[in-house]
PDB file of all heavy atoms in Angstrom:
ATOM      1  N   HIS Z1214      -5.184   6.186  -7.465  1.00 93.00           N
ATOM      2  CA  HIS Z1214      -4.815   6.109  -8.878  1.00 93.00           C
ATOM      3  C   HIS Z1214      -5.511   7.240  -9.617  1.00 93.00           C
ATOM      4  O   HIS Z1214      -6.663   7.567  -9.334  1.00 93.00           O
ATOM      5  CB  HIS Z1214      -5.241   4.772  -9.483  1.00 93.00           C
ATOM      6  CG  HIS Z1214      -5.027   4.709 -10.971  1.00 93.00           C
ATOM      7  ND1 HIS Z1214      -3.792   4.518 -11.536  1.00 93.00           N
ATOM      8  CD2 HIS Z1214      -5.891   4.858 -12.008  1.00 93.00           C
ATOM      9  CE1 HIS Z1214      -3.895   4.537 -12.851  1.00 93.00           C
ATOM     10  NE2 HIS Z1214      -5.161   4.735 -13.165  1.00 93.00           N
ATOM     11  N   HIS Z1215      -4.828   7.860 -10.585  1.00 93.00           N
ATOM     12  CA  HIS Z1215      -5.472   8.889 -11.396  1.00 93.00           C
ATOM     13  C   HIS Z1215      -4.866   8.885 -12.781  1.00 93.00           C
ATOM     14  O   HIS Z1215      -3.672   8.651 -12.955  1.00 93.00           O
ATOM     15  CB  HIS Z1215      -5.326  10.275 -10.743  1.00 93.00           C
ATOM     16  CG  HIS Z1215      -6.601  11.038 -10.713  1.00 93.00           C
ATOM     17  ND1 HIS Z1215      -6.796  12.187 -11.421  1.00 93.00           N
ATOM     18  CD2 HIS Z1215      -7.757  10.806 -10.075  1.00 93.00           C
ATOM     19  CE1 HIS Z1215      -8.027  12.633 -11.187  1.00 93.00           C
ATOM     20  NE2 HIS Z1215      -8.630  11.831 -10.388  1.00 93.00           N
ATOM     21  N   GLU Z1216      -5.695   9.167 -13.786  1.00 92.00           N
ATOM     22  CA  GLU Z1216      -5.293   8.898 -15.159  1.00 92.00           C
ATOM     23  C   GLU Z1216      -4.144   9.754 -15.671  1.00 92.00           C
ATOM     24  O   GLU Z1216      -3.375   9.304 -16.523  1.00 92.00           O
ATOM     25  CB  GLU Z1216      -6.489   9.003 -16.124  1.00 92.00           C
ATOM     26  CG  GLU Z1216      -7.208  10.351 -16.133  1.00 92.00           C
ATOM     27  CD  GLU Z1216      -8.524  10.321 -15.411  1.00 92.00           C
ATOM     28  OE1 GLU Z1216      -8.501   9.886 -14.244  1.00 92.00           O
ATOM     29  OE2 GLU Z1216      -9.553  10.730 -15.952  1.00 92.00           O
ATOM     30  N   GLU Z1217      -4.007  11.003 -15.193  1.00 94.00           N
ATOM     31  CA  GLU Z1217      -2.928  11.813 -15.743  1.00 94.00           C
ATOM     32  C   GLU Z1217      -1.543  11.275 -15.399  1.00 94.00           C
ATOM     33  O   GLU Z1217      -0.568  11.597 -16.059  1.00 94.00           O
ATOM     34  CB  GLU Z1217      -3.046  13.287 -15.334  1.00 94.00           C
ATOM     35  CG  GLU Z1217      -2.824  13.578 -13.864  1.00 94.00           C
ATOM     36  CD  GLU Z1217      -4.133  13.693 -13.119  1.00 94.00           C
ATOM     37  OE1 GLU Z1217      -4.970  12.771 -13.267  1.00 94.00           O
ATOM     38  OE2 GLU Z1217      -4.316  14.671 -12.387  1.00 94.00           O
ATOM     39  N   ILE Z1218      -1.452  10.447 -14.361  1.00 96.00           N
ATOM     40  CA  ILE Z1218      -0.178   9.809 -14.052  1.00 96.00           C
ATOM     41  C   ILE Z1218       0.298   9.016 -15.263  1.00 96.00           C
ATOM     42  O   ILE Z1218       1.478   9.037 -15.624  1.00 96.00           O
ATOM     43  CB  ILE Z1218      -0.314   8.868 -12.831  1.00 96.00           C
ATOM     44  CG1 ILE Z1218      -0.701   9.658 -11.582  1.00 96.00           C
ATOM     45  CG2 ILE Z1218       0.989   8.101 -12.602  1.00 96.00           C
ATOM     46  CD1 ILE Z1218      -0.953   8.771 -10.370  1.00 96.00           C
ATOM     47  N   GLU Z1219      -0.628   8.322 -15.906  1.00 95.00           N
ATOM     48  CA  GLU Z1219      -0.315   7.453 -17.035  1.00 95.00           C
ATOM     49  C   GLU Z1219       0.276   8.240 -18.201  1.00 95.00           C
ATOM     50  O   GLU Z1219       1.283   7.830 -18.793  1.00 95.00           O
ATOM     51  CB  GLU Z1219      -1.581   6.719 -17.461  1.00 95.00           C
ATOM     52  CG  GLU Z1219      -1.372   5.596 -18.423  1.00 95.00           C
ATOM     53  CD  GLU Z1219      -2.669   4.882 -18.763  1.00 95.00           C
ATOM     54  OE1 GLU Z1219      -3.739   5.279 -18.261  1.00 95.00           O
ATOM     55  OE2 GLU Z1219      -2.611   3.925 -19.554  1.00 95.00           O
ATOM     56  N   SER Z1220      -0.328   9.379 -18.552  1.00 95.00           N
ATOM     57  CA  SER Z1220       0.163  10.141 -19.695  1.00 95.00           C
ATOM     58  C   SER Z1220       1.406  10.953 -19.349  1.00 95.00           C
ATOM     59  O   SER Z1220       2.333  11.060 -20.157  1.00 95.00           O
ATOM     60  CB  SER Z1220      -0.939  11.056 -20.248  1.00 95.00           C
ATOM     61  OG  SER Z1220      -1.307  12.055 -19.328  1.00 95.00           O
ATOM     62  N   LEU Z1221       1.449  11.527 -18.154  1.00 96.00           N
ATOM     63  CA  LEU Z1221       2.627  12.312 -17.768  1.00 96.00           C
ATOM     64  C   LEU Z1221       3.879  11.453 -17.679  1.00 96.00           C
ATOM     65  O   LEU Z1221       4.977  11.908 -17.983  1.00 96.00           O
ATOM     66  CB  LEU Z1221       2.381  13.026 -16.434  1.00 96.00           C
ATOM     67  CG  LEU Z1221       1.352  14.155 -16.453  1.00 96.00           C
ATOM     68  CD1 LEU Z1221       1.104  14.675 -15.037  1.00 96.00           C
ATOM     69  CD2 LEU Z1221       1.801  15.289 -17.371  1.00 96.00           C
ATOM     70  N   ALA Z1222       3.716  10.205 -17.269  1.00 95.00           N
ATOM     71  CA  ALA Z1222       4.861   9.292 -17.196  1.00 95.00           C
ATOM     72  C   ALA Z1222       5.494   9.095 -18.571  1.00 95.00           C
ATOM     73  O   ALA Z1222       6.701   8.850 -18.679  1.00 95.00           O
ATOM     74  CB  ALA Z1222       4.437   7.948 -16.613  1.00 95.00           C
ATOM     75  N   LEU Z1223       4.691   9.214 -19.634  1.00 93.00           N
ATOM     76  CA  LEU Z1223       5.195   9.070 -20.992  1.00 93.00           C
ATOM     77  C   LEU Z1223       5.699  10.386 -21.579  1.00 93.00           C
ATOM     78  O   LEU Z1223       6.651  10.389 -22.371  1.00 93.00           O
ATOM     79  CB  LEU Z1223       4.089   8.521 -21.902  1.00 93.00           C
ATOM     80  CG  LEU Z1223       3.596   7.098 -21.635  1.00 93.00           C
ATOM     81  CD1 LEU Z1223       2.452   6.763 -22.589  1.00 93.00           C
ATOM     82  CD2 LEU Z1223       4.719   6.092 -21.794  1.00 93.00           C
ATOM     83  N   ASN Z1224       5.064  11.489 -21.186  1.00 92.00           N
ATOM     84  CA  ASN Z1224       5.296  12.754 -21.883  1.00 92.00           C
ATOM     85  C   ASN Z1224       6.213  13.741 -21.170  1.00 92.00           C
ATOM     86  O   ASN Z1224       6.597  14.753 -21.758  1.00 92.00           O
ATOM     87  CB  ASN Z1224       3.943  13.424 -22.168  1.00 92.00           C
ATOM     88  CG  ASN Z1224       3.089  12.623 -23.133  1.00 92.00           C
ATOM     89  OD1 ASN Z1224       3.601  12.025 -24.079  1.00 92.00           O
ATOM     90  ND2 ASN Z1224       1.784  12.586 -22.895  1.00 92.00           N
ATOM     91  N   ILE Z1225       6.545  13.505 -19.915  1.00 92.00           N
ATOM     92  CA  ILE Z1225       7.473  14.375 -19.190  1.00 92.00           C
ATOM     93  C   ILE Z1225       8.789  13.623 -19.030  1.00 92.00           C
ATOM     94  O   ILE Z1225       8.873  12.662 -18.260  1.00 92.00           O
ATOM     95  CB  ILE Z1225       6.914  14.786 -17.812  1.00 92.00           C
ATOM     96  CG1 ILE Z1225       5.564  15.492 -17.950  1.00 92.00           C
ATOM     97  CG2 ILE Z1225       7.912  15.688 -17.084  1.00 92.00           C
ATOM     98  CD1 ILE Z1225       5.591  16.803 -18.676  1.00 92.00           C
ATOM     99  N   PRO Z1226       9.847  14.029 -19.733  1.00 88.00           N
ATOM    100  CA  PRO Z1226      11.117  13.297 -19.661  1.00 88.00           C
ATOM    101  C   PRO Z1226      11.781  13.426 -18.287  1.00 88.00           C
ATOM    102  O   PRO Z1226      11.623  14.430 -17.601  1.00 88.00           O
ATOM    103  CB  PRO Z1226      11.975  13.973 -20.742  1.00 88.00           C
ATOM    104  CG  PRO Z1226      11.367  15.339 -20.911  1.00 88.00           C
ATOM    105  CD  PRO Z1226       9.901  15.182 -20.649  1.00 88.00           C
ATOM    106  N   GLY Z1227      12.503  12.384 -17.898  1.00 89.00           N
ATOM    107  CA  GLY Z1227      13.245  12.409 -16.643  1.00 89.00           C
ATOM    108  C   GLY Z1227      12.465  11.981 -15.426  1.00 89.00           C
ATOM    109  O   GLY Z1227      13.001  11.973 -14.310  1.00 89.00           O
ATOM    110  N   ILE Z1228      11.194  11.606 -15.596  1.00 95.00           N
ATOM    111  CA  ILE Z1228      10.326  11.260 -14.469  1.00 95.00           C
ATOM    112  C   ILE Z1228      10.789   9.980 -13.777  1.00 95.00           C
ATOM    113  O   ILE Z1228      11.027   8.965 -14.424  1.00 95.00           O
ATOM    114  CB  ILE Z1228       8.859  11.118 -14.923  1.00 95.00           C
ATOM    115  CG1 ILE Z1228       8.217  12.490 -15.067  1.00 95.00           C
ATOM    116  CG2 ILE Z1228       8.049  10.298 -13.952  1.00 95.00           C
ATOM    117  CD1 ILE Z1228       8.024  13.224 -13.747  1.00 95.00           C
ATOM    118  N   LYS Z1229      10.902  10.051 -12.450  1.00 97.00           N
ATOM    119  CA  LYS Z1229      11.191   8.882 -11.637  1.00 97.00           C
ATOM    120  C   LYS Z1229       9.965   8.429 -10.842  1.00 97.00           C
ATOM    121  O   LYS Z1229       9.811   7.243 -10.564  1.00 97.00           O
ATOM    122  CB  LYS Z1229      12.344   9.187 -10.674  1.00 97.00           C
ATOM    123  CG  LYS Z1229      13.668   9.482 -11.381  1.00 97.00           C
ATOM    124  CD  LYS Z1229      14.758   9.802 -10.370  1.00 97.00           C
ATOM    125  CE  LYS Z1229      16.073  10.119 -11.083  1.00 97.00           C
ATOM    126  NZ  LYS Z1229      17.150  10.450 -10.116  1.00 97.00           N
ATOM    127  N   ARG Z1230       9.102   9.405 -10.463  1.00 97.00           N
ATOM    128  CA  ARG Z1230       7.916   9.041  -9.690  1.00 97.00           C
ATOM    129  C   ARG Z1230       6.829  10.100  -9.868  1.00 97.00           C
ATOM    130  O   ARG Z1230       7.115  11.300  -9.877  1.00 97.00           O
ATOM    131  CB  ARG Z1230       8.254   8.917  -8.198  1.00 97.00           C
ATOM    132  CG  ARG Z1230       7.090   8.388  -7.343  1.00 97.00           C
ATOM    133  CD  ARG Z1230       7.439   8.421  -5.857  1.00 97.00           C
ATOM    134  NE  ARG Z1230       7.564   9.780  -5.390  1.00 97.00           N
ATOM    135  CZ  ARG Z1230       8.407  10.179  -4.443  1.00 97.00           C
ATOM    136  NH1 ARG Z1230       9.191   9.310  -3.859  1.00 97.00           N
ATOM    137  NH2 ARG Z1230       8.459  11.460  -4.086  1.00 97.00           N
ATOM    138  N   ILE Z1231       5.582   9.633 -10.022  1.00 97.00           N
ATOM    139  CA  ILE Z1231       4.415  10.513 -10.048  1.00 97.00           C
ATOM    140  C   ILE Z1231       3.353   9.917  -9.142  1.00 97.00           C
ATOM    141  O   ILE Z1231       3.044   8.722  -9.224  1.00 97.00           O
ATOM    142  CB  ILE Z1231       3.813  10.669 -11.460  1.00 97.00           C
ATOM    143  CG1 ILE Z1231       4.868  11.022 -12.487  1.00 97.00           C
ATOM    144  CG2 ILE Z1231       2.738  11.763 -11.449  1.00 97.00           C
ATOM    145  CD1 ILE Z1231       4.339  11.081 -13.906  1.00 97.00           C
ATOM    146  N   ARG Z1232       2.781  10.761  -8.266  1.00 97.00           N
ATOM    147  CA  ARG Z1232       1.712  10.326  -7.376  1.00 97.00           C
ATOM    148  C   ARG Z1232       0.571  11.330  -7.393  1.00 97.00           C
ATOM    149  O   ARG Z1232       0.761  12.495  -7.742  1.00 97.00           O
ATOM    150  CB  ARG Z1232       2.242  10.184  -5.940  1.00 97.00           C
ATOM    151  CG  ARG Z1232       3.335   9.154  -5.775  1.00 97.00           C
ATOM    152  CD  ARG Z1232       3.922   9.150  -4.401  1.00 97.00           C
ATOM    153  NE  ARG Z1232       4.486  10.447  -4.006  1.00 97.00           N
ATOM    154  CZ  ARG Z1232       5.309  10.610  -2.985  1.00 97.00           C
ATOM    155  NH1 ARG Z1232       5.666   9.588  -2.237  1.00 97.00           N
ATOM    156  NH2 ARG Z1232       5.774  11.810  -2.696  1.00 97.00           N
ATOM    157  N   PHE Z1233      -0.597  10.843  -6.996  1.00 96.00           N
ATOM    158  CA  PHE Z1233      -1.795  11.683  -6.924  1.00 96.00           C
ATOM    159  C   PHE Z1233      -2.431  11.517  -5.548  1.00 96.00           C
ATOM    160  O   PHE Z1233      -2.651  10.393  -5.083  1.00 96.00           O
ATOM    161  CB  PHE Z1233      -2.798  11.279  -8.014  1.00 96.00           C
ATOM    162  CG  PHE Z1233      -4.071  12.072  -7.999  1.00 96.00           C
ATOM    163  CD1 PHE Z1233      -4.216  13.185  -8.803  1.00 96.00           C
ATOM    164  CD2 PHE Z1233      -5.133  11.708  -7.179  1.00 96.00           C
ATOM    165  CE1 PHE Z1233      -5.398  13.927  -8.792  1.00 96.00           C
ATOM    166  CE2 PHE Z1233      -6.309  12.439  -7.160  1.00 96.00           C
ATOM    167  CZ  PHE Z1233      -6.441  13.549  -7.967  1.00 96.00           C
ATOM    168  N   PHE Z1234      -2.725  12.646  -4.893  1.00 97.00           N
ATOM    169  CA  PHE Z1234      -3.367  12.646  -3.584  1.00 97.00           C
ATOM    170  C   PHE Z1234      -4.654  13.469  -3.635  1.00 97.00           C
ATOM    171  O   PHE Z1234      -4.703  14.520  -4.284  1.00 97.00           O
ATOM    172  CB  PHE Z1234      -2.446  13.251  -2.518  1.00 97.00           C
ATOM    173  CG  PHE Z1234      -1.224  12.451  -2.214  1.00 97.00           C
ATOM    174  CD1 PHE Z1234      -0.054  12.634  -2.943  1.00 97.00           C
ATOM    175  CD2 PHE Z1234      -1.216  11.518  -1.193  1.00 97.00           C
ATOM    176  CE1 PHE Z1234       1.090  11.909  -2.662  1.00 97.00           C
ATOM    177  CE2 PHE Z1234      -0.075  10.789  -0.897  1.00 97.00           C
ATOM    178  CZ  PHE Z1234       1.076  10.980  -1.637  1.00 97.00           C
ATOM    179  N   MET Z1235      -5.674  13.016  -2.913  1.00 93.00           N
ATOM    180  CA  MET Z1235      -6.932  13.753  -2.802  1.00 93.00           C
ATOM    181  C   MET Z1235      -7.344  13.808  -1.334  1.00 93.00           C
ATOM    182  O   MET Z1235      -7.153  12.844  -0.593  1.00 93.00           O
ATOM    183  CB  MET Z1235      -8.023  13.093  -3.645  1.00 93.00           C
ATOM    184  CG  MET Z1235      -9.355  13.838  -3.656  1.00 93.00           C
ATOM    185  SD  MET Z1235     -10.591  13.096  -4.760  1.00 93.00           S
ATOM    186  CE  MET Z1235      -9.969  13.619  -6.367  1.00 93.00           C
ATOM    187  N   THR Z1236      -7.904  14.948  -0.932  1.00 93.00           N
ATOM    188  CA  THR Z1236      -8.335  15.109   0.454  1.00 93.00           C
ATOM    189  C   THR Z1236      -9.736  14.547   0.668  1.00 93.00           C
ATOM    190  O   THR Z1236     -10.595  14.620  -0.214  1.00 93.00           O
ATOM    191  CB  THR Z1236      -8.332  16.593   0.888  1.00 93.00           C
ATOM    192  OG1 THR Z1236      -9.281  17.329   0.096  1.00 93.00           O
ATOM    193  CG2 THR Z1236      -6.941  17.197   0.715  1.00 93.00           C
ATOM    194  N   PHE Z1237      -9.951  13.985   1.844  1.00 87.00           N
ATOM    195  CA  PHE Z1237     -11.264  13.520   2.271  1.00 87.00           C
ATOM    196  C   PHE Z1237     -11.432  13.794   3.753  1.00 87.00           C
ATOM    197  O   PHE Z1237     -10.500  13.581   4.545  1.00 87.00           O
ATOM    198  CB  PHE Z1237     -11.434  12.012   2.017  1.00 87.00           C
ATOM    199  CG  PHE Z1237     -11.359  11.627   0.581  1.00 87.00           C
ATOM    200  CD1 PHE Z1237     -10.167  11.161   0.041  1.00 87.00           C
ATOM    201  CD2 PHE Z1237     -12.462  11.734  -0.234  1.00 87.00           C
ATOM    202  CE1 PHE Z1237     -10.085  10.807  -1.293  1.00 87.00           C
ATOM    203  CE2 PHE Z1237     -12.384  11.384  -1.577  1.00 87.00           C
ATOM    204  CZ  PHE Z1237     -11.194  10.919  -2.103  1.00 87.00           C
ATOM    205  N   GLY Z1238     -12.624  14.256   4.135  1.00 82.00           N
ATOM    206  CA  GLY Z1238     -12.934  14.463   5.538  1.00 82.00           C
ATOM    207  C   GLY Z1238     -13.332  13.157   6.205  1.00 82.00           C
ATOM    208  O   GLY Z1238     -13.742  12.197   5.552  1.00 82.00           O
ATOM    209  N   GLN Z1239     -13.269  13.127   7.525  1.00 82.00           N
ATOM    210  CA  GLN Z1239     -13.560  11.907   8.252  1.00 82.00           C
ATOM    211  C   GLN Z1239     -15.021  11.493   8.103  1.00 82.00           C
ATOM    212  O   GLN Z1239     -15.330  10.305   8.036  1.00 82.00           O
ATOM    213  CB  GLN Z1239     -13.205  12.068   9.734  1.00 82.00           C
ATOM    214  CG  GLN Z1239     -13.198  10.742  10.505  1.00 82.00           C
ATOM    215  CD  GLN Z1239     -12.304   9.696   9.862  1.00 82.00           C
ATOM    216  OE1 GLN Z1239     -11.125   9.937   9.604  1.00 82.00           O
ATOM    217  NE2 GLN Z1239     -12.853   8.506   9.579  1.00 82.00           N
ATOM    218  N   SER Z1240     -15.939  12.445   8.040  1.00 81.00           N
ATOM    219  CA  SER Z1240     -17.348  12.103   7.873  1.00 81.00           C
ATOM    220  C   SER Z1240     -17.564  11.350   6.564  1.00 81.00           C
ATOM    221  O   SER Z1240     -18.281  10.337   6.523  1.00 81.00           O
ATOM    222  CB  SER Z1240     -18.216  13.359   7.908  1.00 81.00           C
ATOM    223  OG  SER Z1240     -19.586  13.054   7.700  1.00 81.00           O
ATOM    224  N   TYR Z1241     -16.949  11.833   5.484  1.00 81.00           N
ATOM    225  CA  TYR Z1241     -17.059  11.163   4.191  1.00 81.00           C
ATOM    226  C   TYR Z1241     -16.541   9.730   4.281  1.00 81.00           C
ATOM    227  O   TYR Z1241     -17.202   8.784   3.840  1.00 81.00           O
ATOM    228  CB  TYR Z1241     -16.278  11.949   3.132  1.00 81.00           C
ATOM    229  CG  TYR Z1241     -16.262  11.289   1.761  1.00 81.00           C
ATOM    230  CD1 TYR Z1241     -17.174  11.677   0.787  1.00 81.00           C
ATOM    231  CD2 TYR Z1241     -15.341  10.306   1.437  1.00 81.00           C
ATOM    232  CE1 TYR Z1241     -17.165  11.084  -0.476  1.00 81.00           C
ATOM    233  CE2 TYR Z1241     -15.317   9.708   0.190  1.00 81.00           C
ATOM    234  CZ  TYR Z1241     -16.236  10.103  -0.757  1.00 81.00           C
ATOM    235  OH  TYR Z1241     -16.229   9.501  -1.998  1.00 81.00           O
ATOM    236  N   LEU Z1242     -15.363   9.560   4.866  1.00 81.00           N
ATOM    237  CA  LEU Z1242     -14.746   8.236   4.930  1.00 81.00           C
ATOM    238  C   LEU Z1242     -15.549   7.278   5.809  1.00 81.00           C
ATOM    239  O   LEU Z1242     -15.686   6.096   5.486  1.00 81.00           O
ATOM    240  CB  LEU Z1242     -13.315   8.351   5.450  1.00 81.00           C
ATOM    241  CG  LEU Z1242     -12.346   9.137   4.552  1.00 81.00           C
ATOM    242  CD1 LEU Z1242     -10.981   9.243   5.219  1.00 81.00           C
ATOM    243  CD2 LEU Z1242     -12.222   8.489   3.187  1.00 81.00           C
ATOM    244  N   THR Z1243     -16.089   7.783   6.918  1.00 85.00           N
ATOM    245  CA  THR Z1243     -16.890   6.931   7.802  1.00 85.00           C
ATOM    246  C   THR Z1243     -18.148   6.447   7.101  1.00 85.00           C
ATOM    247  O   THR Z1243     -18.491   5.260   7.149  1.00 85.00           O
ATOM    248  CB  THR Z1243     -17.257   7.698   9.084  1.00 85.00           C
ATOM    249  OG1 THR Z1243     -16.056   8.089   9.767  1.00 85.00           O
ATOM    250  CG2 THR Z1243     -18.094   6.822  10.007  1.00 85.00           C
ATOM    251  N   HIS Z1244     -18.844   7.371   6.446  1.00 85.00           N
ATOM    252  CA  HIS Z1244     -20.058   6.975   5.719  1.00 85.00           C
ATOM    253  C   HIS Z1244     -19.727   6.021   4.578  1.00 85.00           C
ATOM    254  O   HIS Z1244     -20.455   5.036   4.348  1.00 85.00           O
ATOM    255  CB  HIS Z1244     -20.763   8.217   5.169  1.00 85.00           C
ATOM    256  CG  HIS Z1244     -21.577   8.953   6.179  1.00 85.00           C
ATOM    257  ND1 HIS Z1244     -21.026   9.801   7.111  1.00 85.00           N
ATOM    258  CD2 HIS Z1244     -22.923   8.947   6.416  1.00 85.00           C
ATOM    259  CE1 HIS Z1244     -21.985  10.299   7.877  1.00 85.00           C
ATOM    260  NE2 HIS Z1244     -23.137   9.796   7.477  1.00 85.00           N
ATOM    261  N   LEU Z1245     -18.630   6.295   3.862  1.00 83.00           N
ATOM    262  CA  LEU Z1245     -18.252   5.438   2.749  1.00 83.00           C
ATOM    263  C   LEU Z1245     -17.959   4.017   3.225  1.00 83.00           C
ATOM    264  O   LEU Z1245     -18.379   3.040   2.594  1.00 83.00           O
ATOM    265  CB  LEU Z1245     -17.037   6.003   2.022  1.00 83.00           C
ATOM    266  CG  LEU Z1245     -16.548   5.209   0.809  1.00 83.00           C
ATOM    267  CD1 LEU Z1245     -17.622   5.148  -0.269  1.00 83.00           C
ATOM    268  CD2 LEU Z1245     -15.261   5.825   0.234  1.00 83.00           C
ATOM    269  N   LYS Z1246     -17.267   3.900   4.349  1.00 86.00           N
ATOM    270  CA  LYS Z1246     -16.948   2.581   4.880  1.00 86.00           C
ATOM    271  C   LYS Z1246     -18.225   1.825   5.272  1.00 86.00           C
ATOM    272  O   LYS Z1246     -18.352   0.627   4.992  1.00 86.00           O
ATOM    273  CB  LYS Z1246     -16.022   2.704   6.094  1.00 86.00           C
ATOM    274  CG  LYS Z1246     -15.447   1.358   6.559  1.00 86.00           C
ATOM    275  CD  LYS Z1246     -14.553   0.772   5.468  1.00 86.00           C
ATOM    276  CE  LYS Z1246     -13.924  -0.503   5.852  1.00 86.00           C
ATOM    277  NZ  LYS Z1246     -13.104  -1.094   4.736  1.00 86.00           N
ATOM    278  N   CYS Z1247     -19.158   2.517   5.892  1.00 88.00           N
ATOM    279  CA  CYS Z1247     -20.428   1.890   6.254  1.00 88.00           C
ATOM    280  C   CYS Z1247     -21.173   1.410   5.014  1.00 88.00           C
ATOM    281  O   CYS Z1247     -21.710   0.293   4.983  1.00 88.00           O
ATOM    282  CB  CYS Z1247     -21.294   2.863   7.050  1.00 88.00           C
ATOM    283  SG  CYS Z1247     -20.690   3.252   8.695  1.00 88.00           S
ATOM    284  N   LEU Z1248     -21.206   2.258   3.989  1.00 86.00           N
ATOM    285  CA  LEU Z1248     -21.883   1.891   2.751  1.00 86.00           C
ATOM    286  C   LEU Z1248     -21.206   0.701   2.074  1.00 86.00           C
ATOM    287  O   LEU Z1248     -21.875  -0.181   1.527  1.00 86.00           O
ATOM    288  CB  LEU Z1248     -21.929   3.099   1.807  1.00 86.00           C
ATOM    289  CG  LEU Z1248     -22.836   4.248   2.264  1.00 86.00           C
ATOM    290  CD1 LEU Z1248     -22.544   5.507   1.459  1.00 86.00           C
ATOM    291  CD2 LEU Z1248     -24.304   3.867   2.140  1.00 86.00           C
ATOM    292  N   GLU Z1249     -19.871   0.672   2.093  1.00 85.00           N
ATOM    293  CA  GLU Z1249     -19.142  -0.476   1.555  1.00 85.00           C
ATOM    294  C   GLU Z1249     -19.484  -1.748   2.317  1.00 85.00           C
ATOM    295  O   GLU Z1249     -19.716  -2.812   1.721  1.00 85.00           O
ATOM    296  CB  GLU Z1249     -17.635  -0.221   1.636  1.00 85.00           C
ATOM    297  CG  GLU Z1249     -17.085   0.753   0.606  1.00 85.00           C
ATOM    298  CD  GLU Z1249     -15.594   0.956   0.765  1.00 85.00           C
ATOM    299  OE1 GLU Z1249     -15.052   0.635   1.846  1.00 85.00           O
ATOM    300  OE2 GLU Z1249     -14.954   1.450  -0.186  1.00 85.00           O
TER     301      GLU Z1249
END
Protein backbone atom coordinates (compact mmCIF):
# COMPACT_ATOMS: atom_id res chain seq x y z
CA HIS A 1 0.00 0.00 0.00
CA HIS A 2 1.26 3.52 -0.71
CA GLU A 3 -0.39 6.87 -0.20
CA GLU A 4 -0.08 8.34 -3.69
CA ILE A 5 -2.42 5.62 -4.95
CA GLU A 6 -5.16 7.31 -2.92
CA SER A 7 -4.72 10.78 -4.44
CA LEU A 8 -3.94 9.66 -8.00
CA ALA A 9 -7.12 7.58 -8.05
CA LEU A 10 -9.03 10.84 -7.52
CA ASN A 11 -6.95 13.20 -9.64
CA ILE A 12 -6.07 11.20 -12.78
CA PRO A 13 -9.21 10.70 -14.92
CA GLY A 14 -9.87 7.35 -16.58
CA ILE A 15 -7.98 5.28 -13.98
CA LYS A 16 -8.97 1.62 -13.73
CA ARG A 17 -6.07 0.36 -11.59
CA ILE A 18 -3.09 1.76 -9.66
CA ARG A 19 -0.48 -0.38 -7.89
CA PHE A 20 2.76 0.24 -6.03
CA PHE A 21 5.74 -2.14 -5.95
CA MET A 22 8.98 -1.91 -3.94
CA THR A 23 12.09 -4.07 -4.21
CA PHE A 24 13.53 -6.01 -1.28
CA GLY A 25 16.53 -8.32 -1.10
CA GLN A 26 16.28 -11.76 0.44
CA SER A 27 18.56 -10.86 3.36
CA TYR A 28 16.23 -8.00 4.33
CA LEU A 29 13.14 -10.20 4.14
CA THR A 30 14.73 -13.06 6.10
CA HIS A 31 15.83 -10.77 8.92
CA LEU A 32 12.47 -9.00 8.93
CA LYS A 33 10.61 -12.29 9.24
CA CYS A 34 12.82 -13.37 12.14
CA LEU A 35 12.26 -10.05 13.89
CA GLU A 36 8.50 -10.34 13.36
